[in-house]
Amino acid sequence: MSDSGFSTDQIDTTIPHPARMYDYYLGGMDNYEVDREAAERALGHAPFLRPTAQGNRGFHHRAVRTVVQRGIRQIIDIGTGIPTSPNTHEVARDIAPDTRVAYVDNDPIVATYAGAKLTNSGNAGFVLADLREPEAIMDHATSRQLIDFDQPVALMLVAVLHFVRDDEGPLEIVRTLTDRLPKGSCLIFSHLTADFDRENALQGAAEIYKNSTAQLITRSREELMPYFDGFELLEPGFVRPPLWRPDGPVPEGDALLVHHGYAGVGVKGGA
């Protein structure tokens, strides 16, 4: 057994993991050589993956601030990935120190980092579970301890659904999760897209991800809009991440073209 409580066969550093590749795109240090090599190969096909990841992280922070400013005090962050500060609870607690956060990921290595960086400050917990089993996430003892499903919840699915294949039912997964949320809850959602990929560069990157622990699936805006069924989108809607309520200079022209994703926040039952 490792110090984290996981057996060595559960902690596999020989296969690239999207969470650690994402950490590398963000300039983090919590990744392995196998992740860096895979990420560099993916960047060789689609160099815009790095600014796309960075733009998505900025959206993540702004969206968390927005929902907490709206009064939400409990968050489920699915697809946590390697903790890269500031994390969800840090952003939320800058506004409301009593905010509770349940982090969810399926990677034991992420769980190990979570124990050191995410859940040691109180009112935060980690659920080792797979997005493909949504009921297990919502019914987990840690989720039940931290989250009151009679009160509004912010559900975060930030840059994670594009690792769920169509045959695994991503829309059904989201509906299973959101059906459990009361009125006034928020869905924070972002997803990679090939809508702006004129060179089909993401096809090459997707081939690299086939040798990682999860495939990379791009979807169009038309395919993604049903994920907000039952939710009213906050302004400015479902847009490229840097355009969602920017708190700094807004990229234009070529600087915007490198962001290959959509992001938005919806309120259940209407804003």
Side-chain angles (χ1 to χ4, degrees):
M1 300 290 287
S2 71
D3 291 339
S4 64
F6 295 104
S7 62
T8 54
D9 62 349
Q10 286 180 290
I11 300 181
D12 190 347
T13 61
T14 66
I15 301 175
H17 192 287
R20 301 193 300 265
M21 292 171 68
Y22 186 69
D23 176 70
Y24 179 75
Y25 296 147
L26 293 175
M29 303 296 292
D30 296 321
N31 47 71
Y32 298 93
E33 183 176 359
V34 67
D35 307 305
R36 295 188 287 273
E37 290 178 351
E40 282 296 337
R41 290 198 300 273
L43 288 167
H45 291 282
F48 52 75
L49 285 173
R50 177 167 279 131
T52 294
Q54 294 168 344
N56 183 76
R57 190 66 175 177
F59 160 75
H60 175 142
H61 294 157
R62 297 191 302 276
V64 169
R65 287 196 293 269
T66 295
V67 299
V68 175
Q69 288 167 347
R70 289 179 61 87
I72 286 181
R73 296 294 180 268
Q74 44 186 6
I75 301 171
I76 303 175
D77 183 352
I78 301 179
T80 301
I82 300 295
T84 304
S85 188
N87 296 292
T88 298
H89 72 283
E90 295 170 316
V91 175
R93 290 176 188 173
D94 276 346
I95 300 168
D98 59 337
T99 303
R100 304 185 303 280
V101 180
Y103 290 101
V104 183
D105 204 284
N106 67 351
D107 182 8
I109 294 179
V110 173
T112 302
Y113 282 111
K117 296 185 177 182
L118 300 179
T119 63
N120 58 357
S121 59
N123 275 348
F126 185 85
V127 177
L128 182 64
D130 197 297
L131 175 59
R132 298 164 186 83
E133 299 179 352
E135 293 285 2
I137 292 173
M138 304 300 261
D139 292 332
H140 194 279
T142 298
S143 301
R144 289 293 187 180
Q145 178 184 3
L146 287 168
I147 306 299
D148 177 1
F149 288 100
D150 291 326
Q151 299 296 322
V153 180
L155 173 68
M156 299 184 64
L157 294 169
V158 175
V160 64
L161 257 295
H162 49 232
F163 298 117
V164 178
R165 302 189 311 269
D166 289 341
D167 63 352
E168 293 173 317
L171 183 56
E172 290 73 17
I173 290 170
V174 173
R175 287 178 175 167
T176 298
L177 293 167
T178 56
D179 282 350
R180 300 280 292 270
L181 305 181
K183 183 178 180 181
S185 294
C186 290
L187 173 61
I188 301 174
F189 179 55
S190 68
H191 197 290
L192 196 67
T193 187
D195 283 359
F196 319 111
D197 184 17
R198 299 171 184 171
E199 306 298 326
N200 295 321
L202 283 168
Q203 291 183 8
E207 289 298 317
I208 304 301
Y209 276 86
K210 287 182 180 179
N211 295 316
S212 76
T213 60
Q215 295 188 35
L216 182 65
I217 311 296
T218 61
R219 296 184 173 95
S220 68
R221 190 177 191 279
E222 182 180 6
E223 291 175 299
L224 294 172
M225 286 304 298
Y227 288 76
F228 285 104
D229 285 353
F231 289 76
E232 181 178 333
L233 280 165
L234 296 179
E235 292 293 337
F238 196 45
V239 297
R240 296 195 199 195
L243 301 181
W244 199 88
R245 302 195 175 189
D247 52 10
V250 179
E252 299 177 346
D254 291 343
L256 181 59
L257 288 176
V258 298
H259 294 274
H260 289 248
Y262 290 111
V265 176
V267 181
K268 189 170 185 179

